[in-house]
Amino acid sequence: MSASDWREQLASSVQSTSAESMPGLAPAQLLHVSAADWGKLARVAKELGCRWVAGWGEDRAEEILVNACLEKKGAYMIARARLDHTAVTLPSHTPYYAAASRSERHTRDLVGVHFSEHPDARRWTRHQAWAEHAYPLRKEFAAAGAPPLQTPPDDSYPFLQAHGSGVYEIPVGPVHAGIIEPGHFRFQAVGELVLNLEEHLGYVHKGIEKIAEGRDAAALARLAGRISGDCTVAHTWAACMAMERASSLDVPERAHYVRAIMCERERVANHLGDIGAVLNDVAFTFGFYQFARLREDWTRLSHALLGHRFMMDRIIPGGVAVDLDPAGIDAMREQIRALRPEVEQLIAIAEDNASIEDRLETTGYLDPVLAAELGTLGYVGRASGIDFDVRRDVPYPPYDRLEVAVPVYHYGDVAARVKVRGAETLFAFELIERLLLALPDGSIANPWQPPASELEGIGLVEGWRGEILTYVRFDSAGKITRFYPRDPSWLNWPALEKLMRDNIVPDFPVCNKSVNGSYSGHDL
Amino acid sequence: MLRILGKVRHLGVISESLEPDDEAALTQIGAQLQARVGERFGGSLAIRQVDAGSCNGCELEIHALNNPYYGIERFGVHFVASPRHADMLLVTGPVSRHMEAALRRTYEATPSPKLVIAVGECGACGGEFGISYASCGAVANVIPVDAVIPGCPPTPLALLHGILQAIGRRATR
């Protein structure tokens, strides 16, 4: 079956207008689906083997739009239902796709769309800062809101209960015992054995989707760079890509390359830090300090050459804000020459260590079938057999000119996730070398021009955590009227709940670190 | 094992000595703090870090304080897991409304005398997020703040100098 066949099949199975190609939404096609057929769409998509990518709602003055993005073999489709303000109900996709569950709960909390037959009626992103029947993403809801003088703690969330002899609960968070983002984990355990883990997130909800409204392109890029500080490059890139597609703005060749170099540098920095942190969680502090040292070396060169340790705000609408000179190119090459053998050596030391092997292998096992059901992304997916990488499968410039190797394992344990990240680090070195070698001459940015009318765009970027999908729509004045960035953590957080089962409580830190979901990127 | 020892021996000590903070004041220190409070923790300072809504950028740099280059523990400063063991709260922001109660409770759980440093642009003034239905903005809007280390995010060096300045210690070993 060719990539587009399934889209035709899907379109013909439901009441819809024929699939539209809109330049801003490429590589996705847009399919308008009747509300009545919304559930059927998910059923057929599931039968066709599509992946559920993302869902978001949008309040348009005259109607409410609900979108669901599906993917198969690198072809994307955005299904869209139009709802009247007086009947804001749609059949849920969750009975067919577990991946849709939290996304639909988020849409219900923020846009006020009710998903019938959703198996989980509990709120998700909303805690106690706004009322149950107020929806922050409705246009009549002011960004300032009407919060209580002091927002009460959210101590009434109905967690799943476990009963029985010897069963006890461990509540953890939101303030964790380390330098970590806040969230709540509720364990049910017998002795050391975890029967069930349930996550309660949303603590760092900052209203990103709402405060994006009314921004110009430059201000949106800055906000996107602060969705999740550890992947500021990838999120800014995805947001800029979406805005540039919406306004049909070309980006200079050189800017594509500099963007990719920064994105790969971000991948390396995070992989190095996290491999060390996983080793720290199994008490191999030598590995922790060595990888922390390499991460610092790497981060310092980013600062020296690109002006910021995390390369924040270096990607701007239309291009990049910083260029590389020949001395900088040499410095990057030289650093890779020095770091590669060190990383290889440290990985070898860790892999040859029997006690590390004992702690990481079979720990936090995520079954490949389950990984696919949950739509897991990035290294979490690739450690459980999910052979997908946007850079290779839906290549965007400059990756459309490069061969991208994608390491895939099937063991599904913490060890496999670390292995994937080690392999990706070494491959990123190679990619950066190739990008530097082929770096085209020319300008680094084209002047930003807002679209003339209310146009939409999507950005798709393989960040270090996996596929980022970002949706934007401009209003007629060239300002943002809807912004939805879907961090890969949305799909990977639920996997953590599953892979903790039957592990021991003390292995939670290492399991959590091996997934390393973003709280901020998820809570928005 | 030999490889590990070889690596350790070959690298030696890489921790960098800090220049006395000749860089212009990195920390905005409140007057009441400069008076006395910091001296009480002179020998050892226990920090409880609280992410009250950050994008995680500040956390990465706070983490870096423990890497071998900065090695903050050699200055008697260490991070603890419980506010009840802490002398100082290092708070990143903006304070999301969903974290407001948790931050207040953490503050209340920290024994006096205690110091609070707000970290980053968002902690200092709300940054890119400001005040909204979801965000309280600056840390000082929720709990009393003694000092501010701005930056988006502040570099590890700025954090190190800032913390040491706040407790009235010279940044030399």
Side-chain angles (χ1 to χ4, degrees), chain B residues 125-145:
Chain B
C125 68
E128 201 62 44
F129 302 98
I131 297 175
S132 72
Y133 79 95
S135 165
C136 305
V139 175
N141 294 346
V142 179
I143 55 171
V145 166

Side-chain angles (χ1 to χ4, degrees), chain A residues 127-148:
Chain A
H127 291 194
Q128 304 292 335
W130 67 93
E132 184 175 356
H133 297 292
Y135 305 112
L137 291 178
R138 290 283 182 93
K139 295 298 179 193
E140 72 267 13
F141 189 106

Side-chain angles (χ1 to χ4, degrees), chain A residues 125 143-144 151 176 178-179 182 202-203 205-206 215 226 229-230 290 296-297 300 308-309 342 345 352, chain B residues 3 7 11 14 16 48 51 53-56 61 63 66-67 69-70 96 98 100 105 128 133 152 156:
Chain A
T125 307
T151 300
H176 296 159
I179 305 166
Y203 285 92
H205 176 69
K206 295 184 278 289
R215 287 185 179 233
R226 286 155 183 82
D230 50 34
Q290 293 296 331
E296 179 68 19
D297 288 339
R300 286 182 177 192
H308 191 284
R309 285 165 57 91
E342 284 218 63
Q345 184 197 20
D352 291 350
Chain B
R3 280 184 301 184
K7 188 100 186 155
L11 275 167
I14 60 167
E16 295 164 332
R48 170 66 251 205
D51 175 339
S54 150
C55 76
N56 200 31
E61 295 297 46
H63 262 294
N66 283 317
N67 81 32
Y69 284 107
Y70 303 106
S96 68
H98 291 173
E100 186 184 344
R105 286 176 170 183
E128 201 62 44
Y133 79 95
C152 188

Side-chain angles (χ1 to χ4, degrees), chain B residues 2-160:
Chain B
L2 282 177
R3 280 184 301 184
I4 295 176
L5 294 173
K7 188 100 186 155
V8 170
R9 182 170 173 277
H10 174 72
L11 275 167
V13 176
I14 60 167
S15 300
E16 295 164 332
S17 60
L18 280 188
E19 295 303 316
D21 30 354
D22 49 342
E23 292 178 49
L26 289 158
T27 325
Q28 297 151 16
I29 298 180
Q32 79 286 3
L33 172 60
Q34 268 170 333
R36 265 188 338 273
V37 185
E39 293 163 18
R40 300 193 194 177
F41 306 117
S44 162
L45 181 80
I47 299 180
R48 170 66 251 205
Q49 196 270 333
V50 184
D51 175 339
S54 150
C55 76
N56 200 31
C58 290
E59 278 63 33
L60 290 179
E61 295 297 46
I62 295 170
H63 262 294
L65 293 173
N66 283 317
N67 81 32
Y69 284 107
Y70 303 106
I72 193 169
E73 293 202 356
R74 69 196 148 130
F75 300 106
V77 179
H78 60 287
F79 290 88
V80 292
S82 168
R84 299 193 192 280
H85 305 156
D87 307 310
M88 173 190 280
L89 296 181
L90 197 60
V91 187
T92 59
V95 182
S96 68
R97 297 202 184 268
H98 291 173
M99 276 302 288
E100 186 184 344
L103 177 60
R104 283 185 205 281
R105 286 176 170 183
T106 304
Y107 179 79
E108 284 156 16
T110 310
S112 293
K114 56 190 164 194
L115 299 175
V116 176
I117 299 185
V119 171
E121 287 309 310
C122 300
C125 68
E128 201 62 44
F129 302 98
I131 297 175
S132 72
Y133 79 95
S135 165
C136 305
V139 175
N141 294 346
V142 179
I143 55 171
V145 166
D146 299 294
V148 171
I149 306 175
C152 188
T155 62
L157 208 56
L159 287 164
L160 193 46

Side-chain angles (χ1 to χ4, degrees), chain A residues 27 54 58 63 70 204 210 230 232 263 302 311 345-346 360 374 387 408 415 447 481 485:
Chain A
E58 181 181 7
E63 60 191 353
L70 300 157
V204 288
K210 186 69 178 181
D230 50 34
T232 174
C263 199
S302 296
M311 300 163 287
Q345 184 197 20
L346 290 172
L360 301 189
L374 297 173
D387 189 7
V408 177
T481 180

Side-chain angles (χ1 to χ4, degrees), chain A residues 277-330:
Chain A
V278 165
L279 295 175
N280 194 45
D281 283 338
V282 294
F284 190 59
T285 47
F286 165 81
F288 172 63
Y289 285 113
Q290 293 296 331
F291 278 104
R293 171 178 66 85
L294 298 183
R295 179 188 152 91
E296 179 68 19
D297 288 339
W298 188 256
T299 305
R300 286 182 177 192
L301 193 70
S302 296
H303 183 239
L305 300 180
L306 298 157
H308 191 284
R309 285 165 57 91
F310 303 154
M311 300 163 287
M312 228 169 219
D313 303 328
R314 307 296 113 159
I315 292 180
I316 53 172
V320 290
V322 62
D323 203 358
L324 280 170
D325 61 14
I329 292 170
D330 285 345

Side-chain angles (χ1 to χ4, degrees), chain A residues 363-382:
Chain A
T363 304
Y365 172 68
L366 179 66
D367 179 72
V369 174
L370 188 57
E373 293 254 314
L374 297 173
T376 51
L377 293 165
Y379 49 81
V380 180
R382 290 193 276 276

